[in-house]
């Protein structure tokens, strides 16, 4: 079983039903191309399966978590985080925070000065698969094994 999931919202707000909007708000995915790291729990996986036609997720590794923290983590005022901010949170470096997030021991929503999401750009070179279908149907939605490479193109 996974320790943590990287979740990315692929579809926007238009024509999104109320129940899906509410679930994605609880997951801190308010806008298109927002990403977050969630610890693996039974209720988390249930929420992801409920909104699988709007988001994509994958088990995260420490290197991708560290890369996201280095390049896309923000604090209040949308400012980049610094080494002093990491020390105030109790982590020596971005690598240590990335490892804690990927193991599920830390959560973004509990690390107070940090935003609980990462704002990503649309992927360079585009999506190679359909954004309207699940991963098993030659799309990108749902549980997607290739999401790590796609997120690296979105950073």
């Amino acid at each position: 079983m996974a320790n943590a999931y990287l979740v990315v919202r692929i579809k926007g707000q238009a024509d999104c039903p109320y129940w899906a909007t509410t679930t994605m708000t609880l997951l801190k995915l308010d806008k298109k191309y927002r990403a977050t790291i969630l610890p693996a729990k039974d209720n988390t996986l249930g929420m992801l399966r409920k909104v699988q036609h709007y988001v994509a997720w994958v088990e995260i590794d420490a290197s991708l978590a560290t890369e996201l923290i280095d390049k896309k983590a923000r604090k209040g005022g949308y400012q980049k985080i610094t080494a002093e901010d990491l020390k105030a949170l109790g982590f020596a470096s971005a690598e240590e925070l990335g490892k804690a997030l990927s193991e599920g021991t830390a959560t973004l929503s509990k690390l107070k000065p940090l935003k609980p999401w990462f704002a990503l750009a649309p992927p360079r070179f585009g999506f190679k698969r359909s954004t309207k279908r699940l991963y098993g149907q030659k799309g990108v939605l749902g549980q997607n094994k290739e999401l790590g490479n796609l997120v690296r193109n979105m950073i």
Side-chain angles (χ1 to χ4, degrees), residues 1-95:
M1 175 141 174
N3 293 326
Y5 296 110
L6 170 67
V7 186
V8 181
R9 182 169 178 169
I10 302 294
K11 290 192 171 182
Q13 296 97 323
D15 292 334
C16 189
Y18 172 77
W19 55 268
T21 304
T22 305
T23 304
M24 286 188 278
T25 302
L26 291 172
L27 294 173
K28 308 286 193 257
L29 300 171
D30 296 328
K31 295 182 177 182
K32 191 175 182 179
Y33 303 133
R34 287 265 168 100
T36 189
I37 299 173
L38 302 171
K41 298 178 187 169
D42 292 338
N43 61 345
T44 304
L45 196 56
M47 291 171 86
L48 292 177
R49 288 198 177 119
K50 185 176 180 181
V51 293
Q52 70 181 348
H53 293 284
Y54 302 95
V55 301
W57 72 90
V58 69
E59 297 174 14
I60 191 164
D61 59 333
S63 65
L64 183 57
T66 303
E67 200 171 332
L68 277 168
I69 291 163
D70 280 338
K71 296 181 180 174
K72 289 293 180 178
R74 297 286 188 262
K75 60 183 179 180
Y78 207 70
Q79 298 172 337
K80 288 189 173 187
I81 60 169
T82 60
E84 291 81 31
D85 296 327
L86 291 173
K87 284 189 176 60
L89 291 170
F91 296 99
S93 64
E95 290 82 17

Side-chain angles (χ1 to χ4, degrees), residues 7-8 12 17 52 95 102 115 122 138 145 155:
V7 186
V8 181
Q52 70 181 348
E95 290 82 17
S102 66
K115 299 275 185 193
K138 298 184 178 167
K145 296 174 187 169
I155 292 178

Side-chain angles (χ1 to χ4, degrees), residues 70-137:
D70 280 338
K71 296 181 180 174
K72 289 293 180 178
R74 297 286 188 262
K75 60 183 179 180
Y78 207 70
Q79 298 172 337
K80 288 189 173 187
I81 60 169
T82 60
E84 291 81 31
D85 296 327
L86 291 173
K87 284 189 176 60
L89 291 170
F91 296 99
S93 64
E95 290 82 17
E96 189 177 323
L97 177 57
K99 190 172 192 291
L101 286 171
S102 66
E103 291 172 353
T105 56
T107 58
L108 280 175
S109 57
K110 299 259 168 60
L111 302 173
K112 259 312 151 210
L114 293 184
K115 299 275 185 193
W117 41 260
F118 305 105
L120 303 176
R124 289 178 294 139
F125 316 117
F127 292 101
K128 300 298 182 200
R129 302 170 73 122
S130 172
T131 58
K132 297 180 181 181
R133 296 182 180 176
L134 295 175
Y135 181 73
Q137 302 166 339

